[in-house]
Coordinates of all heavy atoms in Angstrom, one line a residue:
L1 N -7.4 -11.7 1.5 CA -6.5 -11.5 0.4 C -6.2 -12.8 -0.3 O -6.1 -12.9 -1.5 CB -5.2 -10.8 0.9 CG -4.1 -10.6 -0.1 CD1 -4.5 -9.8 -1.2 CD2 -2.8 -10.1 0.6
Q2 N -6.0 -13.9 0.5 CA -5.5 -15.2 0.0 C -6.6 -15.7 -1.0 O -6.2 -16.3 -2.0 CB -5.2 -16.1 1.1 CG -4.4 -17.3 0.5 CD -3.1 -16.9 -0.1 OE1 -2.3 -16.2 0.4 NE2 -2.9 -17.3 -1.4
P3 N -7.9 -15.6 -0.7 CA -8.8 -16.1 -1.7 C -8.7 -15.4 -3.1 O -8.8 -16.1 -4.1 CB -10.2 -15.9 -1.1 CG -9.9 -15.9 0.4 CD -8.6 -15.3 0.5
Y4 N -8.5 -14.1 -3.0 CA -8.3 -13.4 -4.3 C -7.0 -13.9 -5.0 O -7.1 -14.1 -6.2 CB -8.2 -11.9 -4.0 CG -7.9 -11.0 -5.2 CD1 -8.8 -10.9 -6.3 CD2 -6.7 -10.3 -5.2 CE1 -8.5 -10.1 -7.4 CE2 -6.5 -9.4 -6.3 CZ -7.4 -9.4 -7.4 OH -7.1 -8.6 -8.5
L5 N -5.9 -14.0 -4.3 CA -4.7 -14.5 -4.9 C -4.9 -15.9 -5.5 O -4.4 -16.2 -6.6 CB -3.6 -14.5 -3.9 CG -3.2 -13.1 -3.4 CD1 -2.1 -13.2 -2.3 CD2 -2.7 -12.2 -4.4
N6 N -5.6 -16.8 -4.7 CA -5.9 -18.1 -5.2 C -6.7 -18.1 -6.5 O -6.4 -18.9 -7.4 CB -6.6 -18.9 -4.1 CG -5.7 -19.2 -2.9 OD1 -4.5 -19.1 -3.0 ND2 -6.3 -19.6 -1.8
W7 N -7.7 -17.2 -6.5 CA -8.6 -17.1 -7.7 C -7.8 -16.7 -8.9 O -7.9 -17.3 -10.0 CB -9.7 -16.1 -7.4 CG -10.7 -16.1 -8.5 CD1 -11.8 -16.8 -8.7 CD2 -10.6 -15.3 -9.7 NE1 -12.5 -16.5 -9.8 CE2 -11.8 -15.5 -10.5 CE3 -9.7 -14.3 -10.2 CZ2 -12.0 -14.9 -11.7 CZ3 -9.9 -13.7 -11.4 CH2 -11.1 -14.0 -12.2
L8 N -6.9 -15.7 -8.7 CA -6.1 -15.2 -9.9 C -5.2 -16.4 -10.4 O -5.1 -16.6 -11.6 CB -5.2 -14.1 -9.4 CG -5.9 -12.7 -9.2 CD1 -4.9 -11.7 -8.5 CD2 -6.5 -12.2 -10.4
E9 N -4.6 -17.1 -9.5 CA -3.7 -18.2 -9.9 C -4.5 -19.3 -10.6 O -4.1 -19.8 -11.6 CB -3.0 -18.7 -8.7 CG -1.9 -19.7 -9.0 CD -1.1 -20.1 -7.8 OE1 -0.7 -19.2 -7.0 OE2 -0.8 -21.3 -7.7
Q10 N -5.6 -19.6 -10.0 CA -6.5 -20.7 -10.6 C -6.9 -20.4 -12.0 O -7.0 -21.2 -12.9 CB -7.7 -20.9 -9.7 CG -8.6 -22.0 -10.2 CD -9.9 -22.1 -9.3 OE1 -10.2 -21.3 -8.5 NE2 -10.6 -23.2 -9.4
H11 N -7.2 -19.1 -12.2 CA -7.7 -18.7 -13.5 C -6.6 -18.1 -14.4 O -6.9 -17.5 -15.5 CB -8.8 -17.6 -13.4 CG -10.0 -18.2 -12.8 ND1 -10.3 -18.3 -11.4 CD2 -11.1 -18.8 -13.4 CE1 -11.4 -18.9 -11.2 NE2 -11.9 -19.2 -12.4
Q12 N -5.3 -18.3 -14.0 CA -4.2 -17.8 -14.8 C -4.4 -16.4 -15.2 O -4.2 -16.0 -16.3 CB -3.9 -18.7 -16.0 CG -3.6 -20.1 -15.6 CD -3.4 -21.0 -16.8 OE1 -3.6 -20.7 -18.0 NE2 -3.0 -22.3 -16.6
A13 N -4.7 -15.6 -14.2 CA -5.0 -14.2 -14.4 C -4.0 -13.3 -13.5 O -3.3 -13.9 -12.7 CB -6.4 -13.8 -14.0
Q14 N -4.0 -12.1 -13.8 CA -3.3 -11.1 -13.0 C -4.2 -10.0 -12.5 O -5.3 -9.8 -13.2 CB -2.1 -10.5 -13.8 CG -1.1 -11.4 -14.2 CD 0.0 -10.8 -15.0 OE1 -0.2 -10.0 -15.9 NE2 1.3 -11.0 -14.6
G15 N -3.9 -9.4 -11.4 CA -4.9 -8.4 -10.9 C -4.1 -7.3 -10.1 O -2.9 -7.4 -9.8
I16 N -4.9 -6.3 -9.7 CA -4.4 -5.3 -8.9 C -5.3 -5.2 -7.6 O -6.4 -5.7 -7.6 CB -4.4 -3.9 -9.6 CG1 -5.8 -3.5 -10.0 CG2 -3.5 -3.9 -10.9 CD1 -5.9 -2.1 -10.5
L17 N -4.8 -4.5 -6.6 CA -5.5 -4.3 -5.4 C -5.7 -2.8 -5.4 O -4.7 -2.0 -5.6 CB -4.8 -4.8 -4.2 CG -4.7 -6.3 -4.2 CD1 -3.3 -6.8 -3.8 CD2 -5.8 -6.9 -3.4
T18 N -6.9 -2.3 -5.1 CA -7.2 -0.9 -5.1 C -7.6 -0.4 -3.8 O -8.1 -1.1 -2.9 CB -8.3 -0.6 -6.1 OG1 -9.5 -1.2 -5.7 CG2 -7.9 -1.0 -7.5
E19 N -7.4 0.9 -3.6 CA -7.8 1.7 -2.4 C -7.2 1.0 -1.1 O -7.9 0.7 -0.2 CB -9.3 1.8 -2.3 CG -9.8 2.6 -3.5 CD -11.3 2.9 -3.4 OE1 -11.9 2.9 -2.3 OE2 -11.9 3.2 -4.5
V20 N -5.9 0.8 -1.2 CA -5.1 0.3 -0.1 C -4.6 1.4 0.8 O -4.0 2.4 0.3 CB -4.0 -0.6 -0.6 CG1 -3.1 -1.1 0.5 CG2 -4.5 -1.7 -1.4
G21 N -4.8 1.3 2.1 CA -4.2 2.4 3.0 C -4.3 2.0 4.4 O -5.1 1.2 4.8
V22 N -3.4 2.5 5.2 CA -3.4 2.4 6.6 C -3.0 3.7 7.3 O -2.4 4.5 6.7 CB -2.3 1.3 7.1 CG1 -2.7 -0.1 6.6 CG2 -0.9 1.7 6.8
P23 N -3.4 3.9 8.5 CA -3.0 5.1 9.2 C -1.6 5.1 9.6 O -1.0 4.1 9.7 CB -3.9 5.2 10.4 CG -4.5 3.8 10.6 CD -4.3 3.1 9.3
N24 N -1.0 6.3 9.8 CA 0.3 6.4 10.3 C 0.4 6.1 11.8 O 0.6 7.0 12.6 CB 0.8 7.8 10.0 CG 2.3 8.1 10.4 OD1 3.0 7.1 10.8 ND2 2.7 9.3 10.4
Q25 N 0.3 4.8 12.1 CA 0.4 4.4 13.5 C 1.3 3.1 13.5 O 1.2 2.3 12.5 CB -0.9 4.0 14.0 CG -1.9 5.2 14.1 CD -3.3 4.8 14.4 OE1 -3.7 3.7 14.5 NE2 -4.1 5.9 14.6
P26 N 2.2 2.9 14.5 CA 3.2 1.8 14.4 C 2.6 0.5 14.1 O 3.1 -0.3 13.3 CB 3.8 1.9 15.8 CG 3.7 3.3 16.2 CD 2.4 3.8 15.6
D27 N 1.5 0.1 14.8 CA 0.9 -1.2 14.6 C 0.4 -1.4 13.2 O 0.6 -2.4 12.5 CB -0.2 -1.5 15.6 CG 0.3 -1.7 17.0 OD1 1.5 -1.9 17.2 OD2 -0.5 -1.6 17.9
W28 N -0.3 -0.4 12.6 CA -0.8 -0.4 11.3 C 0.4 -0.4 10.3 O 0.3 -1.0 9.2 CB -1.7 0.7 11.0 CG -3.1 0.4 11.5 CD1 -3.7 1.0 12.6 CD2 -4.0 -0.5 11.0 NE1 -5.0 0.5 12.8 CE2 -5.2 -0.5 11.8 CE3 -3.9 -1.5 10.0 CZ2 -6.3 -1.3 11.6 CZ3 -5.0 -2.3 9.7 CH2 -6.2 -2.2 10.5
L29 N 1.4 0.3 10.5 CA 2.6 0.3 9.6 C 3.2 -1.0 9.5 O 3.7 -1.4 8.4 CB 3.6 1.4 10.0 CG 3.1 2.9 9.8 CD1 4.1 3.8 10.4 CD2 2.8 3.2 8.4
R30 N 3.3 -1.8 10.6 CA 3.8 -3.2 10.6 C 2.9 -4.1 9.7 O 3.4 -4.9 8.9 CB 3.9 -3.7 12.0 CG 5.2 -3.3 12.7 CD 5.5 -4.1 14.0 NE 4.4 -3.9 15.0 CZ 4.4 -2.8 15.8 NH1 5.3 -1.9 15.7 NH2 3.5 -2.7 16.7
V31 N 1.6 -3.9 9.9 CA 0.7 -4.7 9.1 C 0.9 -4.3 7.6 O 0.9 -5.2 6.7 CB -0.8 -4.4 9.5 CG1 -1.8 -4.9 8.5 CG2 -1.1 -4.9 10.9
Y32 N 1.0 -3.1 7.3 CA 1.2 -2.6 5.9 C 2.5 -3.1 5.3 O 2.5 -3.6 4.2 CB 1.2 -1.1 5.9 CG 1.2 -0.3 4.6 CD1 0.3 -0.6 3.7 CD2 2.1 0.7 4.4 CE1 0.2 0.1 2.5 CE2 2.1 1.4 3.2 CZ 1.2 1.1 2.2 OH 1.2 1.8 1.1
Q33 N 3.6 -3.1 6.1 CA 4.8 -3.6 5.6 C 4.7 -5.1 5.3 O 5.2 -5.6 4.3 CB 5.9 -3.4 6.6 CG 7.3 -3.8 6.1 CD 8.4 -3.3 7.0 OE1 8.2 -3.1 8.2 NE2 9.6 -3.1 6.5
N34 N 4.1 -5.9 6.2 CA 3.9 -7.3 6.0 C 3.1 -7.6 4.7 O 3.4 -8.5 3.9 CB 3.3 -8.0 7.2 CG 4.2 -8.1 8.4 OD1 5.4 -8.0 8.2 ND2 3.7 -8.2 9.6
Y35 N 2.0 -6.8 4.6 CA 1.1 -6.9 3.4 C 1.9 -6.6 2.1 O 1.8 -7.4 1.2 CB 0.0 -5.8 3.6 CG -1.0 -5.7 2.5 CD1 -2.0 -6.6 2.4 CD2 -0.9 -4.6 1.6 CE1 -3.0 -6.4 1.4 CE2 -1.8 -4.5 0.6 CZ -2.9 -5.4 0.5 OH -3.8 -5.2 -0.5
L36 N 2.7 -5.6 2.1 CA 3.5 -5.2 0.9 C 4.6 -6.3 0.6 O 4.8 -6.7 -0.5 CB 4.2 -3.9 1.1 CG 3.3 -2.7 1.1 CD1 4.1 -1.4 1.5 CD2 2.6 -2.5 -0.2
Q37 N 5.2 -6.9 1.7 CA 6.1 -7.9 1.5 C 5.5 -9.2 0.9 O 6.0 -9.8 0.0 CB 6.8 -8.3 2.8 CG 7.8 -7.3 3.2 CD 8.4 -7.5 4.6 OE1 7.8 -8.3 5.4 NE2 9.5 -6.9 4.9
H38 N 4.3 -9.5 1.4 CA 3.6 -10.6 0.9 C 3.2 -10.4 -0.6 O 3.4 -11.3 -1.4 CB 2.3 -10.9 1.7 CG 1.5 -12.1 1.3 ND1 2.0 -13.4 1.5 CD2 0.3 -12.2 0.7 CE1 1.1 -14.2 1.0 NE2 0.1 -13.6 0.5
L39 N 2.7 -9.2 -0.9 CA 2.3 -8.9 -2.3 C 3.5 -9.0 -3.3 O 3.4 -9.4 -4.4 CB 1.6 -7.6 -2.4 CG 0.2 -7.5 -1.8 CD1 -0.3 -6.1 -2.0 CD2 -0.7 -8.5 -2.4
S40 N 4.7 -8.5 -2.8 CA 5.8 -8.5 -3.6 C 6.3 -9.9 -4.1 O 7.0 -10.0 -5.1 CB 7.0 -7.8 -2.9 OG 7.5 -8.6 -1.9
R41 N 5.8 -10.9 -3.4 CA 6.2 -12.3 -3.8 C 5.1 -13.0 -4.6 O 5.1 -14.2 -4.9 CB 6.4 -13.1 -2.5 CG 7.6 -12.6 -1.7 CD 8.0 -13.6 -0.5 NE 6.9 -13.6 0.5 CZ 6.9 -12.8 1.6 NH1 7.8 -11.9 1.7 NH2 5.9 -13.0 2.4
Q42 N 4.1 -12.2 -5.0 CA 2.9 -12.8 -5.7 C 3.0 -12.4 -7.2 O 2.7 -11.2 -7.6 CB 1.6 -12.3 -5.1 CG 1.5 -12.5 -3.7 CD 1.6 -14.0 -3.3 OE1 1.0 -14.9 -4.0 NE2 2.3 -14.3 -2.2
P43 N 3.4 -13.3 -8.1 CA 3.5 -12.9 -9.5 C 2.1 -12.6 -10.1 O 2.1 -11.9 -11.2 CB 4.1 -14.2 -10.2 CG 3.8 -15.3 -9.2 CD 3.7 -14.7 -7.8
V44 N 1.0 -12.9 -9.5 CA -0.3 -12.7 -10.1 C -0.7 -11.2 -9.8 O -1.7 -10.7 -10.4 CB -1.4 -13.6 -9.6 CG1 -1.1 -15.0 -10.1 CG2 -1.5 -13.6 -8.1
V45 N 0.0 -10.5 -8.9 CA -0.4 -9.1 -8.5 C 0.5 -8.2 -9.4 O 1.8 -8.3 -9.3 CB -0.2 -8.9 -7.0 CG1 -0.4 -7.4 -6.7 CG2 -1.1 -9.7 -6.2
I46 N -0.1 -7.4 -10.2 CA 0.7 -6.5 -11.0 C 0.6 -5.0 -10.6 O 1.3 -4.2 -11.2 CB 0.3 -6.6 -12.5 CG1 -1.2 -6.3 -12.7 CG2 0.6 -8.0 -13.0 CD1 -1.7 -6.2 -14.1
G47 N -0.1 -4.8 -9.5 CA -0.1 -3.4 -9.0 C -1.0 -3.2 -7.8 O -1.8 -4.1 -7.5
V48 N -0.8 -2.1 -7.1 CA -1.5 -1.7 -6.0 C -1.8 -0.2 -6.1 O -1.0 0.6 -6.5 CB -0.7 -1.9 -4.7 CG1 -1.5 -1.4 -3.5 CG2 -0.4 -3.4 -4.5
V49 N -3.1 0.2 -5.9 CA -3.5 1.6 -5.9 C -3.7 2.0 -4.5 O -4.5 1.5 -3.7 CB -4.8 1.8 -6.7 CG1 -5.2 3.2 -6.7 CG2 -4.6 1.3 -8.1
L50 N -2.9 3.1 -4.1 CA -2.9 3.5 -2.7 C -4.1 4.6 -2.5 O -4.5 5.2 -3.4 CB -1.6 4.2 -2.3 CG -0.4 3.3 -2.5 CD1 0.9 4.0 -2.2 CD2 -0.5 2.0 -1.7
W51 N -4.4 4.7 -1.2 CA -5.5 5.6 -0.8 C -5.0 6.4 0.4 O -4.5 5.8 1.3 CB -6.7 4.8 -0.4 CG -7.9 5.6 0.0 CD1 -8.3 5.8 1.3 CD2 -8.9 6.2 -0.9 NE1 -9.4 6.6 1.3 CE2 -9.8 6.8 0.0 CE3 -9.0 6.3 -2.2 CZ2 -10.9 7.5 -0.5 CZ3 -10.1 7.0 -2.7 CH2 -11.0 7.6 -1.9
S52 N -5.0 7.6 0.5 CA -5.4 8.7 -0.3 C -4.4 9.8 -0.2 O -3.5 9.7 0.7 CB -6.8 9.1 0.2 OG -6.6 9.7 1.5
A53 N -4.5 10.8 -1.0 CA -3.6 11.9 -0.9 C -4.2 13.2 -1.3 O -5.2 13.2 -2.0 CB -2.3 11.6 -1.7
G54 N -3.6 14.3 -0.9 CA -4.1 15.6 -1.3 C -4.5 16.5 -0.1 O -5.0 16.0 0.9
P55 N -4.3 17.7 -0.2 CA -4.5 18.6 1.0 C -6.0 18.7 1.4 O -6.3 19.0 2.5 CB -4.0 20.0 0.5 CG -4.0 19.9 -1.0 CD -3.8 18.5 -1.3
W56 N -6.9 18.4 0.5 CA -8.3 18.4 0.8 C -8.7 17.3 1.8 O -9.8 17.4 2.4 CB -9.2 18.2 -0.4 CG -8.8 17.1 -1.3 CD1 -9.2 15.8 -1.1 CD2 -7.8 17.0 -2.3 NE1 -8.6 14.9 -2.0 CE2 -7.7 15.7 -2.8 CE3 -7.0 18.0 -2.9 CZ2 -6.9 15.3 -3.8 CZ3 -6.2 17.6 -3.9 CH2 -6.1 16.3 -4.4
W57 N -7.8 16.4 2.1 CA -8.1 15.3 3.1 C -7.9 15.8 4.5 O -8.2 15.1 5.5 CB -7.3 14.1 2.8 CG -7.8 13.3 1.6 CD1 -7.2 13.4 0.3 CD2 -9.0 12.6 1.5 NE1 -8.0 12.6 -0.5 CE2 -9.0 12.1 0.1 CE3 -10.0 12.2 2.4 CZ2 -10.1 11.3 -0.3 CZ3 -11.0 11.4 1.9 CH2 -11.0 10.9 0.6
G58 N -7.2 16.9 4.7 CA -7.0 17.5 6.0 C -6.2 16.5 6.9 O -5.2 16.0 6.6
E59 N -6.8 16.2 8.1 CA -6.2 15.3 9.0 C -6.6 13.8 8.9 O -6.5 13.0 9.8 CB -6.5 15.8 10.5 CG -6.0 17.1 10.8 CD -4.5 17.2 10.7 OE1 -3.8 16.2 11.1 OE2 -4.0 18.2 10.1
Y60 N -7.1 13.5 7.7 CA -7.6 12.1 7.4 C -6.4 11.1 7.7 O -5.3 11.3 7.3 CB -8.0 12.0 6.0 CG -8.6 10.7 5.6 CD1 -9.7 10.2 6.2 CD2 -8.0 9.9 4.6 CE1 -10.3 8.9 5.8 CE2 -8.5 8.7 4.1 CZ -9.6 8.2 4.8 OH -10.2 7.0 4.4
P61 N -6.7 10.1 8.6 CA -5.6 9.2 9.0 C -4.9 8.4 7.9 O -3.8 8.0 8.1 CB -6.2 8.3 10.0 CG -7.7 8.6 10.1 CD -7.9 9.7 9.2
L62 N -5.5 8.2 6.8 CA -4.9 7.4 5.7 C -4.2 8.3 4.7 O -3.7 7.8 3.7 CB -6.0 6.5 5.0 CG -6.8 5.6 5.9 CD1 -7.7 4.7 5.0 CD2 -5.9 4.8 6.8
R63 N -4.1 9.6 4.9 CA -3.5 10.5 4.0 C -2.0 10.2 3.8 O -1.3 9.9 4.7 CB -3.6 11.9 4.6 CG -3.1 13.0 3.7 CD -3.4 14.3 4.3 NE -2.7 15.3 3.5 CZ -2.7 16.6 3.7 NH1 -3.4 17.1 4.8 NH2 -2.1 17.5 2.9
L64 N -1.6 10.1 2.5 CA -0.3 9.7 2.1 C 0.7 10.8 1.8 O 1.9 10.6 1.9 CB -0.4 8.8 0.9 CG -1.0 7.4 1.1 CD1 -1.2 6.7 -0.2 CD2 -0.3 6.6 2.1
D65 N 0.2 12.0 1.5 CA 1.1 13.0 1.2 C 1.6 13.6 2.6 O 0.9 13.5 3.6 CB 0.5 14.1 0.3 CG -0.8 14.7 0.9 OD1 -1.6 14.0 1.4 OD2 -0.9 15.9 0.9
P66 N 2.7 14.2 2.6 CA 3.3 14.7 3.9 C 2.4 15.8 4.5 O 1.9 16.6 3.8 CB 4.7 15.2 3.5 CG 4.7 15.4 2.1 CD 3.6 14.5 1.5
A67 N 2.3 15.7 5.8 CA 1.5 16.6 6.5 C 2.2 18.0 6.6 O 1.6 19.0 6.8 CB 1.1 16.1 7.9
S68 N 3.5 17.9 6.5 CA 4.3 19.1 6.6 C 5.4 19.1 5.5 O 5.9 18.1 5.2 CB 5.0 19.3 8.0 OG 5.8 18.2 8.3
P69 N 5.7 20.3 5.0 CA 6.8 20.4 4.0 C 8.1 19.8 4.5 O 8.4 19.9 5.7 CB 6.9 21.9 3.7 CG 5.6 22.5 4.2 CD 5.2 21.6 5.3
G70 N 8.8 19.1 3.6 CA 10.1 18.6 4.0 C 10.0 17.2 4.7 O 11.0 16.7 5.1
S71 N 8.8 16.6 4.6 CA 8.7 15.3 5.2 C 8.1 14.3 4.2 O 7.6 14.7 3.2 CB 7.8 15.3 6.5 OG 6.5 15.7 6.1
V72 N 8.3 13.0 4.5 CA 7.7 12.0 3.6 C 6.9 11.1 4.5 O 7.3 10.6 5.6 CB 8.9 11.1 3.0 CG1 8.3 10.0 2.2 CG2 9.7 12.0 2.1
A73 N 5.7 10.8 4.1 CA 4.8 10.0 4.9 C 5.4 8.6 5.1 O 5.9 8.0 4.2 CB 3.4 9.8 4.2
P74 N 5.3 8.0 6.3 CA 5.9 6.7 6.6 C 5.3 5.6 5.7 O 6.0 4.7 5.3 CB 5.5 6.4 8.0 CG 5.3 7.8 8.6 CD 4.8 8.6 7.5
Q75 N 4.0 5.7 5.3 CA 3.5 4.8 4.4 C 4.2 4.7 3.0 O 4.4 3.7 2.4 CB 2.0 5.0 4.2 CG 1.1 5.0 5.4 CD 0.9 6.4 6.0 OE1 1.8 7.2 6.1 NE2 -0.3 6.6 6.5
I76 N 4.6 5.9 2.6 CA 5.3 6.0 1.3 C 6.7 5.5 1.5 O 7.3 4.8 0.6 CB 5.4 7.5 0.8 CG1 3.9 8.0 0.5 CG2 6.3 7.7 -0.4 CD1 3.2 7.3 -0.6
Q77 N 7.4 5.7 2.6 CA 8.7 5.2 2.8 C 8.7 3.7 2.8 O 9.7 3.1 2.3 CB 9.2 5.7 4.2 CG 9.5 7.1 4.3 CD 9.9 7.6 5.7 OE1 9.7 6.9 6.7 NE2 10.4 8.8 5.8
L78 N 7.7 3.0 3.2 CA 7.6 1.6 3.2 C 7.5 1.0 1.7 O 7.9 -0.1 1.5 CB 6.4 1.0 4.0 CG 6.5 1.2 5.5 CD1 5.2 0.8 6.2 CD2 7.7 0.5 6.0
L79 N 7.1 1.8 0.8 CA 7.0 1.4 -0.6 C 8.3 1.4 -1.3 O 8.5 0.8 -2.4 CB 6.0 2.3 -1.3 CG 4.6 2.3 -0.9 CD1 3.8 3.4 -1.6 CD2 4.0 0.9 -1.3
Q80 N 9.3 2.2 -0.9 CA 10.5 2.4 -1.6 C 11.2 1.1 -2.1 O 11.6 1.0 -3.2 CB 11.5 3.2 -0.8 CG 12.7 3.6 -1.6 CD 13.6 4.6 -0.8 OE1 13.5 4.8 0.4 NE2 14.5 5.2 -1.5
P81 N 11.3 0.0 -1.2 CA 12.0 -1.2 -1.7 C 11.3 -1.8 -2.9 O 11.9 -2.5 -3.7 CB 11.9 -2.1 -0.5 CG 11.7 -1.3 0.7 CD 10.9 -0.1 0.2
W82 N 10.0 -1.6 -3.1 CA 9.3 -2.3 -4.1 C 9.1 -1.5 -5.4 O 8.8 -2.0 -6.4 CB 7.9 -2.8 -3.6 CG 8.1 -3.9 -2.6 CD1 8.4 -5.2 -2.9 CD2 8.2 -3.8 -1.2 NE1 8.6 -5.9 -1.7 CE2 8.5 -5.0 -0.7 CE3 7.9 -2.7 -0.3 CZ2 8.6 -5.2 0.7 CZ3 8.0 -2.9 1.0 CH2 8.3 -4.2 1.5
C83 N 9.2 -0.2 -5.3 CA 8.9 0.6 -6.5 C 10.1 1.5 -6.9 O 10.0 2.2 -7.8 CB 7.7 1.5 -6.4 SG 6.9 1.7 -4.9
G84 N 11.2 1.4 -6.2 CA 12.4 2.2 -6.6 C 12.2 3.7 -6.5 O 12.7 4.4 -7.3
L85 N 11.3 4.1 -5.6 CA 11.1 5.5 -5.4 C 12.3 6.3 -4.9 O 13.0 5.8 -4.1 CB 9.9 5.8 -4.4 CG 8.5 5.3 -4.8 CD1 7.6 5.4 -3.6 CD2 8.0 6.0 -6.0
E86 N 12.5 7.4 -5.5 CA 13.5 8.3 -5.0 C 12.7 9.3 -4.1 O 11.9 10.1 -4.6 CB 14.2 9.1 -6.1 CG 15.3 8.4 -6.8 CD 16.4 8.1 -5.9 OE1 16.8 8.9 -5.0 OE2 17.0 6.9 -6.0
L87 N 12.9 9.2 -2.8 CA 12.1 10.0 -1.9 C 12.7 11.3 -1.7 O 13.8 11.4 -1.1 CB 11.9 9.2 -0.5 CG 11.2 7.9 -0.6 CD1 11.2 7.2 0.7 CD2 9.8 8.1 -1.1
A88 N 12.1 12.3 -2.2 CA 12.5 13.7 -2.0 C 11.4 14.4 -1.2 O 10.3 14.4 -1.6 CB 12.7 14.4 -3.4
P89 N 11.8 15.1 -0.1 CA 10.8 15.8 0.6 C 10.2 16.9 -0.2 O 10.8 17.5 -1.1 CB 11.6 16.5 1.8 CG 12.9 15.7 1.9 CD 13.1 15.1 0.5
S90 N 8.9 17.1 0.0 CA 8.2 18.1 -0.8 C 8.4 19.5 -0.2 O 8.8 19.6 0.9 CB 6.7 17.8 -0.9 OG 6.2 17.7 0.4

C-alpha cells in the first residue's frame, strides 16, 4: 500500500483502491480496521471500492451484505466512522 500512496503523492495525484475485502473473522477485521484508519489519514486517497456483496455469493467469506435479515455485516460496521453510514438492518 505504501508504495502506491508514495507514488500518488510524488505525482500530485489522487487515487482509489478497488476490490478491497476481508473475511468476517476477528483477526482480519482488526487488519481491516487498521487499514481503513490508515487510509482515512491519506489525502491522496479519494475512495475505496469494497468486494463483494449479493446473494449469489452464498457463503463466500468476503461477502458484505448480511447473511441473515436484521443484521449488518461487521465489515460494513467498521466503515461507519468514515462514510457516515446510517446502518439499518435489512
Side-chain angles (χ1 to χ4, degrees):
L1 177 61
Q2 197 58 53
Y4 175 63
L5 297 175
N6 293 344
W7 185 93
L8 290 171
E9 190 172 315
Q10 180 183 16
H11 291 89
Q12 299 179 352
Q14 294 180 312
I16 64 170
L17 295 139
T18 64
E19 297 187 22
V20 174
V22 298
N24 179 9
Q25 297 170 354
D27 290 343
W28 278 110
L29 291 172
R30 277 191 296 280
V31 168
Y32 188 53
Q33 184 170 27
N34 290 337
Y35 177 81
L36 292 170
Q37 287 173 343
H38 184 68
L39 289 180
S40 73
R41 295 187 296 269
Q42 305 302 316
V44 294
V45 175
I46 58 173
V48 176
V49 178
L50 304 177
W51 181 263
S52 68
W56 51 87
W57 288 103
E59 296 301 317
Y60 183 60
L62 305 185
R63 185 175 172 182
L64 293 172
D65 58 314
S68 60
S71 66
V72 176
Q75 298 95 319
I76 298 296
Q77 291 175 345
L78 291 175
L79 292 171
Q80 190 172 14
W82 293 282
C83 14
L85 294 173
E86 281 294 323
L87 298 177
S90 57

